[in-house]
Amino acid sequence: MLGRARGIQRELAPWLAQFTADLRAVARRPFDNVTEVSRRRRQRERSFRLATIKSDIVENIGLRELSAAWIAARHGVSPSHVRRLFAAEKVTFSAFVLGYRLARANEILCDGASLDRTISSIAFALGFGDLSYFNRTFRRHYGTRPSDVRAAALGEEETP
């Protein structure tokens, strides 16, 4: 998971560089095109906050209490602000968390180094509190059961 967090941090570098460039531009020409610079700065700030929030979600994906309210409290904003940041990307907070949990579960199920872990231990470690819900949403998302993915990773035939 640390690799994913570092990847998100690398994504932030261009925004920080542009933010610095905008500050220099405003300092040189304080009254030229301030509205556009200000708009771009606010957009970058929102993008930076969203990337930071996503990084925090990735780091804490296994917590069952992971929610918009929990994340908002950690970042000093309101839950509605967190939801608005995700809405700007045409996704809900819950859909992002669920999608990431399912993607990680699929990755782990396919990973040869994790074949000794049970499907239920993987689901619970990723914050799913109900194995039936995990199986149902996994199948809806991937069109196959977690046990079939595991069987394929083991090189076995899929079960009917």
Side-chain angles (χ1 to χ4, degrees):
M1 272 195 205
L2 288 175
R4 283 179 178 45
R6 287 187 188 113
I8 291 172
Q9 289 172 346
R10 281 190 292 271
E11 291 177 20
L12 301 178
W15 292 316
L16 291 174
Q18 186 60 49
F19 181 74
T20 304
D22 284 347
L23 284 177
R24 286 188 200 122
V26 169
R28 284 192 301 265
R29 297 175 286 134
F31 300 109
D32 294 347
N33 205 9
V34 172
T35 305
E36 179 60 24
V37 170
S38 180
R39 186 191 63 73
R40 287 194 325 247
R41 181 184 52 80
R42 281 191 311 274
Q43 179 58 41
R44 272 190 303 284
E45 287 171 354
R46 283 190 297 269
S47 296
F48 179 81
R49 183 169 304 260
L50 181 60
T52 304
I53 286 171
K54 285 180 176 180
S55 177
D56 200 11
I57 290 168
V58 167
E59 290 175 22
N60 294 289
I61 200 68
L63 298 177
R64 286 189 60 204
E65 64 269 11
L66 185 62
S67 66
W70 188 84
I71 287 289
R74 287 177 53 91
H75 291 268
V77 297
S78 69
S80 61
H81 183 68
V82 170
R83 287 189 286 274
R84 277 193 304 273
L85 290 172
F86 279 94
E89 289 199 341
K90 308 282 191 258
V91 67
T92 65
F93 174 86
S94 298
F96 177 81
V97 170
L98 179 61
Y100 186 78
R101 283 178 170 159
L102 291 171
R104 282 293 298 142
N106 190 49
E107 250 179 63
I108 294 168
L109 288 168
C110 292
D111 182 19
S114 299
L115 295 176
D116 60 327
R117 294 179 65 187
T118 64
I119 292 172
S120 60
S121 72
I122 293 168
F124 293 134
L126 290 171
F128 288 97
D130 180 350
L131 188 56
S132 296
Y133 174 71
F134 168 71
N135 284 315
R136 202 171 41 252
T137 55
F138 189 94
R139 187 172 189 156
R140 192 177 310 134
H141 188 78
Y142 289 104
T144 187
R145 298 176 301 184
S147 57
D148 294 339
V149 172
R150 170 55 56 87
L154 289 169
E156 300 172 1
E157 284 189 27
E158 293 183 12
T159 56

